[in-house]
Amino acid sequence: MLYAHTPNEDGEWHALACHLQDVAELAEKHAAAFGSGNAAWWAGILHDSGKAGVDFQRYLALCAEQPDRRHQTIDHKGAGFLRVIELMPELAFLVQGHHGGLIDAGEMELKGTALARRAPALQETLERFDALGVIPQDRARPEIPEFAQTNRHALEFWLRMLFSALVDADHFDTERHWHPEVAAQRGSEVTIQELWERFAADQAAFIAQLSPQQQAMPVNQVRGEVYAACMAAAEQESGFFRLTVPTGGGKTRSGLGFALRHATRNGLRRVILAVPYLTITDQTARIVRSIFPDDRVVLEHHSAADAANDDEAGSQDEHAQWRRLAAQDWNAPLIITTMVQLFESLLGRKTSVCRKLHRIAGSVIVLDEAQTIPLELREPIYDVLRELVANYGVTVVLCTATQPAVDWLPVELAPVEIVSEPARHFRALQRVDYVWPQQDEAPWNWERAAEEMRTNEQALAIVNTVADAAALFDALGEGVGHFHLSSRMCGAHRRDVVDLVRGRLRAGLPCRLVSTQVVEAGVDLDFPLLLRAFGPLDRIVQAAGRCNREGRLPRGGRVVIFRPEEGGTPPGPYRISTEATGNFLEWEGDALDLNDPALFDRYFRSLYRDIPGDSKGIQQERQSRNFRTVEERFRMIDNEDQVPVLARYRGLDRDPYDNGKPASEKLADSIQWAVDTRNSKALRALIREAQPFLVNVRRNWLTAGDTQELTDDVLLWLPEYDNRLGLVSGRMDVERLIVG
């Protein structure tokens, strides 16, 4: 008998033939969702064929005899590599990478050359594998699908999806051997049809609780019309859709309703809501969980979700365990994630990030605030979206008030406008007056901006950099109801501030907030006065959605755009977009109408001329099947030379002089223990748990004595954490320390 794994707790060995057959069958089932089950079956049946070798079987026996000792591992991928080269060379990427991840084509060539020299020895292993008889004689050879035969980008992405099907099947079958009780917790019994029925009932109750006066409000009339348009469009076949809705127009509920109804009508498997920022993720999750409060339905997969899944003692209940497991393979009907998580997985290479990709086939992806897709990465991102729609049964919905141009789509995939005449809704919800700086108007210093904020008891100012936010907040001065938001604050702190601000706004209490761009898209805040530092046009309009959002002010809200005297502008596309906005305003002149959604098609086309769509050459590397290089170059957030710092945040309602250790400091102690004891599993779990208390900062911003090293990747912040500003260091790089 040949084995794949040593005995489990019940003393049962894992037979190699059973493992190969089970992985092949499960991989085939996964890949059947995109019509490639047979190719996935072959990858599964051959991935561990090298374990049939004499040396590997001796290695397993030694591990079983001496389980407390570390033994020299034996390569088990070489034999399968040689076999798939004969069968279908492209599958060699999967066999070689099923543990360590996909690698570059050049590395593959070198490995193939090295393995060729070992061919005689490996041939004996393959003969032992063949003797298992796990390959039926009538099994058809694998074939590359027609859509990937002449398009190298399509071929590269097909291999990613096959890789996902393989590694998920391999991980699951191995888990089923070692921890069958854990494997049994995966998945959800709730269907998309059930979710749609529950959503429809909740929507009806939501409308019924509005008074006749509330239903007559323009904002609620627009929301009703948008929802009706979503229901009508949901009857159409899968493809690209655009949901163009003014801020406050009910985009979240209507978009979710469309996705669920559309999925039921087209037999799709899950809905994925992808948002750009963690602040929006939290808000979206609250809305969704108010509709689906039970567990094993909604998966939140983002960096701030892990700690929330633990109880006060730091342990996990069965539902938290389900969420942790579902985050690995996205086996859930409704997923809330970030664009960073989504796209860095789609263009990643490691088994941990690629494992879930096959679940995306046959789904609805709702991209909230689609204008936030980085312009310098738009070509690889849009190409992947095009692949998903064209060849993997996916529907993509681009949701925003400021729709980017979509000339990247071929005619046959032209997006369907869910709302046929969006301009009518924008005019119906003209809730603000824009005040632009006059041509000869002097730039404002921070005191001038603070004076403007003081003219109203409730005011929001959004500036371009973290340093600018700190400077304006300092000029505003101490005061009850004065708040600050920036990426210098940890996620838990930002979430607490947003909740406190919402409460004061609802209660009509004084509230003045100075923020970076973290609140300008999708965050449900409603101020009567908004100051916005001059920046990209779409950012200005998105920021205006935080002013008179509910349309309650009879004279409308005021959005004042000003040029800061000492303000900074983040480099790269943000600065180019800011400069282009000045030119665009001159071109439009008196014809400028920010309530016309067609304006932004022209605006983004002007940006496309100035900002390369693939500034890092990712598409060329994809053509060459350089998976490692693609992952290294594709970063949604520029975190070069940044390091996560663990902040000792106690919470806004805690006494800063309380001698008790905050949860974040207890985490630091636990992380240090895990490092000292070399407990890698505990360390990974603790780092996940610490995510809400981490702040990414550039190393050159830190001064001596600011931090203590916990791991190679995480530092502990030593000074007192400022409950207003977050991390405060001795020096600040105005140009580079920007919103992350």
Side-chain angles (χ1 to χ4, degrees):
M1 175 76 75
L2 300 180
Y3 300 107
H5 301 108
T6 52
N8 56 22
E9 291 183 353
D10 295 330
E12 297 176 350
W13 285 80
H14 198 184
L16 179 58
C18 291
H19 177 59
L20 294 176
Q21 289 173 323
D22 289 346
V23 170
E25 290 173 6
L26 188 53
E28 182 177 34
K29 179 180 177 181
H30 289 336
F34 49 94
S36 296
N38 189 47
W41 185 92
W42 278 102
I45 207 71
L46 293 173
H47 81 289
D48 271 357
S49 55
K51 289 186 176 182
V54 173
D55 289 343
F56 192 87
Q57 292 298 306
R58 288 174 179 165
Y59 161 73
L60 287 181
L62 191 60
C63 290
E65 292 170 7
Q66 302 174 348
D68 297 328
R69 291 187 57 184
R70 183 181 294 272
H71 304 281
Q72 182 66 41
T73 59
I74 303 297
D75 172 63
H76 66 276
K77 295 180 285 189
F81 185 104
L82 290 184
R83 178 61 59 86
V84 296
I85 285 291
E86 301 171 0
L87 189 70
M88 177 190 285
E90 291 78 9
L91 292 184
F93 282 95
L94 281 60
V95 172
Q96 178 60 39
H98 77 270
H99 283 305
L102 297 166
I103 59 178
D104 285 357
E107 297 175 77
M108 287 289 292
E109 187 174 349
L110 291 175
K111 288 185 179 296
T113 301
L115 287 172
R117 293 193 290 267
R118 295 173 49 205
L122 293 175
Q123 189 58 42
E124 180 184 348
T125 295
L126 288 173
E127 289 173 2
R128 288 165 60 89
F129 161 74
D130 289 336
L132 291 173
V134 293
I135 301 178
Q137 292 185 351
D138 59 349
R139 169 62 70 163
R141 292 174 64 88
E143 294 182 352
I144 297 174
E146 185 176 349
F147 68 80
Q149 291 178 8
T150 58
N151 185 322
R152 287 194 287 175
H153 289 141
L155 176 61
E156 186 257 13
F157 191 73
W158 180 69
L159 290 175
R160 291 179 183 278
M161 296 293 277
L162 276 185
F163 183 63
S164 171
L166 170 64
V167 297
D168 188 31
D170 187 26
H171 278 75
F172 180 79
D173 192 62
T174 303
E175 179 182 73
R176 190 162 49 186
H177 168 69
W178 290 111
H179 305 289
E181 75 287 353
V182 174
Q185 293 184 55
R186 294 186 180 275
S188 173
E189 297 178 357
V190 180
T191 66
I192 284 288
Q193 178 67 36
E194 290 177 80
L195 290 187
W196 158 246
E197 292 171 358
R198 288 160 61 181
F199 174 86
D202 184 88
Q203 180 69 11
F206 179 77
I207 298 301
Q209 57 88 30
L210 296 176
S211 67
Q213 293 80 5
Q214 289 175 315
Q215 292 187 28
M217 292 176 62
V219 67
N220 285 325
Q221 289 182 341
V222 167
R223 289 169 180 170
E225 292 178 8
V226 168
Y227 182 78
C230 284
M231 292 302 96
E235 302 295 317
Q236 300 189 48
E237 295 182 356
S238 297
F240 272 103
F241 292 83
R242 295 211 301 184
L243 179 56
T244 308
V245 180
T247 54
K251 175 165 51 70
T252 301
R253 287 187 71 97
S254 293
L256 176 58
F258 168 87
L260 291 172
R261 179 62 173 166
H262 181 76
T264 62
R265 299 296 292 177
N266 289 277
L268 304 183
R269 305 187 297 173
R270 60 186 41 83
V271 170
I272 302 168
L273 305 179
V275 301
Y277 308 123
L278 286 176
T279 46
I280 307 177
T281 306
D282 183 59
Q283 178 176 292
T284 301
R286 292 185 187 188
I287 295 172
V288 174
R289 289 196 181 280
S290 71
I291 304 170
F292 308 111
D294 50 337
D295 294 283
R296 300 177 76 93
V297 171
V298 181
L299 167 66
E300 289 182 65
H301 189 194
H302 51 83
S303 60
D306 295 287
N309 291 341
D310 294 338
D311 62 24
E312 292 181 359
S315 61
Q316 292 186 331
D317 61 21
E318 62 177 292
H319 301 305
Q321 171 79 342
W322 174 81
R323 289 191 290 269
R324 184 182 68 80
L325 296 173
Q328 297 172 356
D329 62 2
W330 279 15
N331 193 2
L334 182 53
I335 296 162
I336 302 171
T337 189
T338 60
M339 289 189 191
V340 172
Q341 175 68 236
L342 175 63
F343 291 118
E344 289 192 358
S345 296
L346 285 166
L347 289 168
R349 72 171 196 91
K350 298 183 180 69
T351 58
S352 57
V353 300
C354 292
R355 180 177 178 179
K356 57 184 172 286
L357 298 189
H358 69 92
R359 304 278 185 196
I360 298 175
S363 66
V364 183
I365 300 176
V366 180
L367 296 176
D368 196 12
E369 307 299 348
Q371 83 286 348
T372 60
I373 290 175
L375 295 181
E376 70 277 17
L377 295 174
R378 65 184 184 273
E379 288 185 14
I381 288 175
Y382 291 155
D383 187 68
V384 166
L385 291 176
R386 184 167 55 232
E387 277 298 311
L388 287 171
V389 172
N391 301 312
Y392 297 89
V394 171
T395 283
V396 171
V397 187
L398 305 174
C399 292
T400 180
T402 53
Q403 287 283 359
V406 289
D407 50 1
W408 44 272
L409 279 173
V411 174
E412 64 272 16
L413 293 178
V416 175
E417 295 286 355
I418 292 177
V419 178
S420 59
E421 298 180 21
R424 184 167 56 86
H425 292 151
F426 280 76
R427 291 190 171 86
L429 294 187
Q430 293 186 38
R431 292 156 288 178
V432 302
D433 291 324
Y434 290 91
V435 181
W436 294 91
Q438 299 299 310
Q439 191 170 8
D440 56 350
E441 182 177 341
W444 292 11
N445 59 27
W446 296 124
E447 182 55 40
R448 170 73 179 84
E451 286 178 6
E452 189 70 27
M453 292 187 73
R454 295 189 194 102
T455 64
N456 202 301
E457 287 198 332
Q458 295 185 338
L460 167 64
I462 299 178
V463 293
N464 292 322
T465 71
V466 169
D468 290 357
L472 177 52
F473 187 71
D474 183 63
L476 184 61
E478 296 285 345
V480 176
H482 288 185
F483 302 98
H484 162 275
L485 277 173
S486 79
S487 61
R488 246 198 298 172
M489 301 155 62
C490 67
H493 188 186
R494 293 200 303 267
R495 183 171 59 246
D496 288 347
V497 168
V498 170
D499 286 345
L500 192 54
V501 166
R502 283 197 185 107
R504 295 186 71 87
L505 291 174
R506 284 195 297 265
L509 297 173
C511 184
R512 298 183 180 96
L513 172 62
V514 177
S515 178
T516 54
Q517 306 101 302
V518 293
V519 299
E520 73 183 359
V523 180
D524 187 6
L525 297 175
D526 192 353
F527 285 86
L529 172 64
L530 168 71
L531 275 62
R532 182 42 164 105
F534 194 85
L537 186 63
D538 60 303
R539 303 284 189 125
I540 291 173
V541 174
Q542 287 289 342
R546 305 327 110 198
C547 182
N548 194 26
R549 184 179 181 85
E550 295 297 323
R552 295 190 178 97
L553 301 177
R555 296 185 179 179
R558 289 179 65 235
V559 176
V560 180
I561 299 96
F562 69 100
R563 295 182 184 274
E565 183 178 63
E566 302 168 309
T569 305
Y574 192 99
R575 182 173 295 166
I576 294 173
S577 299
T578 300
E579 295 169 353
T581 295
N583 296 330
F584 188 77
L585 294 177
E586 290 184 14
W587 297 336
E588 292 288 315
D590 295 337
L592 180 71
D593 181 3
L594 295 181
N595 293 300
D596 178 9
L599 171 78
F600 294 96
D601 186 87
R602 301 194 298 274
Y603 167 69
F604 278 104
R605 288 179 188 275
S606 72
L607 293 184
Y608 294 170
R609 292 193 294 267
D610 298 327
I611 301 176
D614 185 13
S615 61
K616 299 180 181 180
I618 291 167
Q619 288 295 82
Q620 179 59 49
E621 299 298 336
R622 289 185 61 213
Q623 276 196 340
S624 302
R625 280 175 278 174
N626 290 334
F627 296 97
R628 188 191 301 275
T629 302
V630 168
E631 182 188 67
E632 290 171 352
R633 292 187 182 183
F634 186 85
R635 288 290 181 269
M636 292 280 285
I637 298 174
D638 180 14
N639 57 2
E640 184 179 359
D641 197 35
Q642 286 193 352
V643 59
V645 174
L646 180 58
R648 297 185 293 179
Y649 172 62
R650 295 175 178 271
L652 294 180
D653 57 348
R654 290 286 299 275
D655 181 353
Y657 300 103
D658 183 356
N659 291 326
K661 284 187 176 182
S664 52
E665 193 160 343
K666 293 177 183 177
L667 279 169
D669 293 342
S670 298
I671 290 171
Q672 190 62 62
W673 164 82
V675 171
D676 294 342
T677 59
R678 298 184 179 181
N679 191 329
S680 58
K681 183 177 180 180
L683 180 60
R684 288 193 298 271
L686 288 165
I687 294 297
R688 286 198 303 269
E689 189 178 345
Q691 288 296 323
F693 304 108
L694 296 181
V695 182
N696 287 325
V697 300
R698 295 193 182 276
R699 290 183 183 273
N700 65 359
W701 180 71
L702 301 170
T703 59
D706 278 346
T707 59
Q708 168 191 327
E709 185 175 281
L710 291 176
T711 72
D712 292 341
D713 301 319
V714 179
L715 306 178
L716 173 66
W717 184 252
L718 295 178
E720 189 69 40
Y721 183 85
D722 191 311
N723 261 20
R724 302 170 307 150
L725 299 176
L727 304 189
V728 179
S729 180
R731 67 189 178 97
M732 182 179 299
D733 186 334
V734 175
E735 284 291 323
R736 300 182 66 195
L737 187 64
I738 61 175
V739 172

